[in-house]
Amino acid sequence: MTTVGFLYPGHFAEDDYPRMEILLDSTIRLVVNHTECPDDAYREDALRALGAPGRLAAGAEELRRIGVESVVWACDGGSFLYGPQGARDQAAAVARELGVPVSSTSIGFVHAVRKLGATRVAVAATYPEEIAARFTAFLADEGIEVLATHAAGVATAAEAAAWGPDRIEELATAADRPDAEAVLLPDTALHTVGHLAELEELLGKPVLTANQVTVREALRLADRHAWAARLGTLFAAREAPPAPAAPSARGLWGRGRKYAHGRNAYTRGTPEK
């Protein structure tokens, strides 16, 4: 059994996680622990407050007792507004508390884009323009070219959580560009897991959404590969084991994967390309 944990602010689209657990291997457990969300406004001060060290530490205590193998801070704005280094520092602080690898949704988007081998993307954001621009800047700082950003101007997480598939499709279509190799939908308050296959069919390309990449990031940190066709291209194909360095008497596959540490202290596993 692989058990991974998530720190999720408030109560908005957390039901995406049990849906993903059902679609994934039966030996994967996704544990969501809610952190305080006194203000769900999509303003910089409110979003940054969600990621305050004390708030994350308090939420992580329950995950420590459960005994998870990795943790992801399931919040976009509460991580990317700190900038790339700030987001890494934020995750590293929680990792020191828990003693397991820790990341965030924003960092997970970067790793997911690299996993797909994409370099040019479009961003379909629920956020106001100024918040969406900060996410675009975060991606650019990580070497990902954003060809277009469409901001829907949603004011709160509760408003985003009320969106149905039609509005989500309109958002993704408005952001897409012919040269974009993937379309990214940030915002863990947005229900997207039930619509991933339809979104990719509509756009004819990979779609990365916040809760989807959050789960993939947690599994990556736990060195656990998983696939589920209904979870989009990111989870659509089984990952083959790596070839051994040399044939051995133990057979073609050797004794398993040898992992290298990534460039950041808070991660482990195969670095994304």
Side-chain angles (χ1 to χ4, degrees), residues 109-110 113 121-125 135 139 144 175 182-186 206-209:
F109 266 113
V110 174
V113 170
V121 304
V123 170
F135 180 60
L139 296 174
I144 298 169
V183 176
L184 280 54
L185 280 73
V207 173
L208 300 177
T209 70

Side-chain angles (χ1 to χ4, degrees), residues 58-133:
E61 184 57 35
E62 179 62 24
L63 296 178
R64 184 205 308 277
R65 288 194 290 268
I66 292 170
V68 296
E69 297 177 41
S70 66
V71 171
V72 177
W73 166 223
C75 182
D76 304 79
S79 51
F80 69 71
L81 285 171
Y82 285 81
Q85 188 56 53
R88 295 187 180 97
D89 293 343
Q90 182 186 58
V94 180
R96 287 192 293 270
E97 291 285 332
L98 295 179
V100 299
V102 174
S103 187
S104 67
T105 300
S106 299
I107 297 168
F109 266 113
V110 174
H111 289 151
V113 170
R114 291 174 180 165
K115 170 65 181 175
L116 296 178
T119 57
R120 295 174 296 173
V121 304
V123 170
T126 53
Y127 307 125
E129 289 186 6
E130 61 272 19
I131 301 298

Side-chain angles (χ1 to χ4, degrees), residues 137-197:
F138 182 95
L139 296 174
D141 286 344
E142 293 294 321
I144 298 169
E145 182 181 358
V146 179
L147 300 180
T149 301
H150 181 77
V154 168
T156 66
E159 184 181 344
W163 276 29
D166 290 345
R167 294 194 69 180
I168 294 171
E169 288 181 0
E170 290 173 5
L171 175 67
T173 302
D176 190 23
R177 295 294 182 274
D179 293 341
E181 298 163 304
V183 176
L184 280 54
L185 280 73
D187 194 351
T188 56
L190 196 64
H191 291 89
T192 58
V193 168
H195 320 303
L196 283 164

